[in-house]
Amino acid sequence: MKPAILAAGAALALSLTAAPAWAADLTMRISLQLPLKSHLGQNLALFKEEVETASEGAIEVEIYDSAQLYKDKEVPQAVGAGSIEAGVASLTRYVGDIPAVDIFYQPFLLDSEEKVRAATAKGGPIRGPIDKAIEDTGATVLWWQAYGGAILLSNGGPIATPADLEGKKVRVFGKTLGDFTEAAGGAPTLISGSEQYLAYQRGTVDVGMTGVSGVKSRSLWEVMDTITVTNHADIEFIVVVNTEWWEGLSEDQRAIITAAAEKADQSVRDEMASIEAEAYAAAEENGMTIYEPTAEEMEAWRATAQPVHDEYLEKSGDLGAQLMEAAKAL
């Protein structure tokens, strides 16, 4: 992790244990399902430091990590209703209101860093319409947090091909990922990120699906022994604020928060490759086997994608068709 991020984390830890020396004019609470030590937590720490420094203490940011206040699935409703000022949620948590958001979870569609960066560019042909659609839920998107590619976790050997998934219960975190699992012959089970560890430990599911950084931050090597590097989807989290709260801020307050959000957005995107590399190294150091499917095995995985793409287009309406066309043009 870069020194600036580590420093931000240290500053945050100190601020959570000691009363501030200044009285803030505004407090912004943010709910996070992951531990503070995760890269999303450290990204929030960077945002906190930027906001509090730029506002000279007039804006205080409080981070409630590890689902202390809300689980991931509860964040869209909590933020949209104004129960909390801000929260971090997996993008796919908005699929109920906006089916088209699952464009990022279409198997092997955004299959390079270049395509992902283009798709997540602020105001671009994919992120722009999604941010706009989320406004209808009572929330405003502040920034996106990269989480890397989706991988598979298992015990006793890799999930090298779809045939290895057949008949197995699989932890998923979105409808489209469930469709992909079914297309490959597995049985999807929707489980929040904060509940993963226990699900694997208790055998609630046989196979896990997550980002490799989550393996490190949640110490999942204690309950799973193999990672299969499929990178079949791009995992994105978004930081949203209650729109009514946001519009009630002064112009200066919004400017400070927006500048910090843009820095946090760029920072986590730029660091994603090194974050994943460090997570893979940590997984190996803790006894996990890292399996990369052969070209032939990957072709078998890719063959499962088309039915999922077709179903997405059927369910996501005009916006889904627009986003699919834009994604294929990248």
Side-chain angles (χ1 to χ4, degrees), residues 202-221:
R202 294 171 177 173
T204 305
V205 292
D206 307 303
V207 177
M209 192 181 294
T210 188
V212 70
S213 64
V215 174
K216 180 181 178 182
S217 65
R218 298 186 189 281
S219 301
L220 296 181
W221 45 67

Side-chain angles (χ1 to χ4, degrees), residues 161-168 184-186:
T161 69
D164 295 327
L165 207 58
E166 191 168 349
K168 290 185 170 62

Side-chain angles (χ1 to χ4, degrees), residues 90 92-93 95 102 105 172-179 188 190-191:
S90 172
T92 193
R93 289 300 182 186
V95 74
D102 263 5
Y105 301 92
V172 299
F173 49 95
K175 178 65 172 64
T176 295
L177 294 176
D179 293 342
L190 191 63
I191 296 173

Side-chain angles (χ1 to χ4, degrees), residues 2 4 40 101 107 129 178 191-192 211 218 228 291 317 329:
K2 294 187 176 181
L40 297 194
V101 300
I191 296 173
S192 292
R218 298 186 189 281
T228 303
Y291 181 79

Side-chain angles (χ1 to χ4, degrees), residues 43 91 104 119-120 126-128 130-131 134 141-146 236-239 261 264-266 268-269:
N43 186 242
L91 179 61
F104 284 89
T120 57
I126 295 179
R127 173 174 166 177
I130 289 176
D131 285 356
I134 288 174
V141 178
L142 273 188
W143 81 94
W144 286 41
Q145 292 182 307
E236 297 290 334
F237 282 76
I238 56 175
V239 183
D265 192 318
Q266 190 65 44
V268 70
R269 188 73 53 189

Side-chain angles (χ1 to χ4, degrees), residues 4 8 12 16 21 29 50 96 184 189 207 222 261 271 280 293 308 325:
L12 175 60
L16 292 177
R29 298 170 299 159
E50 289 291 319
T189 302
V207 177
E222 296 176 358
E271 294 173 1
Y280 278 118
V308 182
E325 184 176 351

